[in-house]
Amino acid sequence: MVRGMTTHGGFEPVFCTIVPPHVLDQLARAEDPALSGPARRSLEHDAYQRTKRRLTTVIGAPSVAAPAGAAADQPHRTIYDAHHTQDLPGDQVRAEGSDPGSDATVNRAYAGLGATFELYLKAYGRHSIDGDGLPLDATVHFGENYDNAFWNGEQMVFGDGDGEVFLDFTIPVDVIGHELTHGVTQHTANLTYFGQSGALNESLSDVFGSLIKQYTLGQTAAEADWLVGAGLLAPSVHGTALRSMKAPGTAYDDPNLGKDPQPATMDHYVRTGSDNGGVHINSGIPNHAFYLVATAIGGRAWEKAGQIWYDVLTGGELEQEARFADFATLTVQAARQRYGAGDELQAVQKAWEQVGVRTL
Ligand SMILES: [Zn+2]
């Protein structure tokens, strides 16, 4: 289970969907029923899942057991097909090591799980989500025109999208990396999914999701598009992606979706009760800080900038309730520890200054 302490002191499960509720809310108000229908049904599903998971947590769900023995350097992937139902996991359609089939969605999900496993292993020596070889399961073709993808604490789930606004959710590899990184966070810092710690949780998923895409494409920080979910929006939508780390707030501006609400700096920090206190909104600030660090250092972003962020995520000093300033301070310490008082340290200090987060 993905869970975190709430500000009220109780345990609450995290149910992160790649498309945040405020975007689907907007779409559900569209005049065209071809747009509002799928958005409304997707919202209903996600709300139901959140409630269900809360109940499961109270009862106490069993945790997923990792296979016995030393973790292998190979992923252990299984892809299932829900055949447009909401039954999980569905029928097994591809197992580890089997050849690609005729369904491109299945093959993309399989490749995306593999790319995520590979970045964590090759760049950071981490064996799967839990660091101990956790098998990676994914279900595709979930629901009817389901407008989302999520990690439910145990597996990945992908919708096909409505075809009008959202396309197949297996298309962007960074969406897969984003969701699986919620699993990594669950097993490490376990940041509370509310307010600033929730925005850090979201940002870490965007950061490593983007790094998985850059690693797959062999891009440097200068070559990367720094978008999250590019290729997911249908061609008629006025927008390029769900979020932009390079220029938060500019990913889309569309009559049906509304405008990307992300701030890039603390001057525009959004105080809101919705979206768990703006976890998908204010994540734009730490996202932009990472972009600034990676492009200032240059080269492959997963090597130095990614290493610094990974050190903080897994180092054991990041508190569940951490705020931006706490996280920023730890990145400064991690940069100094890894690379001494050089360009890397300067890049980290300058980036947080630029986004208006004071290091302690
Ligand atoms: Zn997320």
Side-chain angles (χ1 to χ4, degrees), residues 16-18 178-179 182 193 201-203 205-206 243 280:
C16 171
T17 52
I18 191 73
H178 173 107
E179 292 301 336
H182 278 302
Y193 205 63
N201 191 323
E202 265 308 305
S203 175
S205 275
D206 279 351
R243 293 182 279 280
H280 293 91

Side-chain angles (χ1 to χ4, degrees), residues 86-134:
Q86 295 189 3
D87 301 332
L88 291 176
D91 294 332
Q92 182 177 317
V93 286
R94 193 169 173 195
E96 187 61 45
S98 66
D99 291 332
S102 55
D103 186 340
T105 302
V106 171
N107 299 333
R108 276 193 300 265
Y110 184 87
L113 296 180
T116 303
F117 183 92
E118 195 177 323
L119 174 85
Y120 276 110
L121 180 66
K122 298 273 169 70
Y124 312 118
R126 182 179 190 82
H127 288 86
S128 194
I129 298 310
D130 62 347
D132 197 23
L134 184 77

Side-chain angles (χ1 to χ4, degrees), residues 23-206:
V23 176
L24 289 177
D25 264 334
Q26 182 76 33
L27 193 56
R29 281 182 239 129
E31 273 174 38
D32 182 352
L35 305 181
S36 59
R40 206 168 296 147
R41 285 195 301 276
S42 302
L43 271 172
E44 279 164 12
H45 165 270
D46 296 350
Y48 170 71
Q49 283 294 323
R50 283 187 189 95
T51 315
K52 197 172 94 179
R53 290 171 54 66
R54 204 159 293 149
L55 295 172
T56 321
T57 306
V58 172
I59 297 163
S63 59
V64 184
D73 282 352
Q74 293 294 326
H76 187 281
R77 291 165 286 183
T78 313
I79 312 296
Y80 300 86
D81 188 337
H83 303 292
H84 308 290
T85 71
Q86 295 189 3
D87 301 332
L88 291 176
D91 294 332
Q92 182 177 317
V93 286
R94 193 169 173 195
E96 187 61 45
S98 66
D99 291 332
S102 55
D103 186 340
T105 302
V106 171
N107 299 333
R108 276 193 300 265
Y110 184 87
L113 296 180
T116 303
F117 183 92
E118 195 177 323
L119 174 85
Y120 276 110
L121 180 66
K122 298 273 169 70
Y124 312 118
R126 182 179 190 82
H127 288 86
S128 194
I129 298 310
D130 62 347
D132 197 23
L134 184 77
L136 299 174
D137 295 345
T139 296
V140 298
H141 302 308
F142 177 80
E144 287 283 352
N145 302 324
Y146 177 61
D147 274 337
N148 234 327
F150 59 91
W151 160 256
N152 73 359
E154 293 173 9
Q155 68 159 102
M156 281 290 320
V157 180
F158 300 97
D160 292 329
D162 54 55
E164 303 276 340
V165 175
F166 293 106
L167 305 178
D168 186 322
F169 279 78
T170 60
I171 291 172
V173 72
D174 45 344
V175 164
I176 303 177
H178 173 107
E179 292 301 336
L180 290 175
T181 298
H182 278 302
V184 175
T185 301
Q186 166 195 345
H187 284 279
T188 54
N190 198 21
L191 289 157
T192 301
Y193 205 63
F194 191 87
Q196 289 201 8
S197 56
L200 287 168
N201 191 323
E202 265 308 305
S203 175
L204 284 158
S205 275
D206 279 351

Side-chain angles (χ1 to χ4, degrees), residues 210-211 213-215 217-226 291 294-295 298-303:
S210 180
L211 292 180
K213 175 176 162 180
Q214 293 173 35
Y215 179 86
L217 297 174
Q219 290 176 329
T220 63
E223 290 162 349
D225 62 14
W226 295 99
Y291 159 82
T295 47
R300 298 158 156 184
W302 61 88
E303 288 180 354

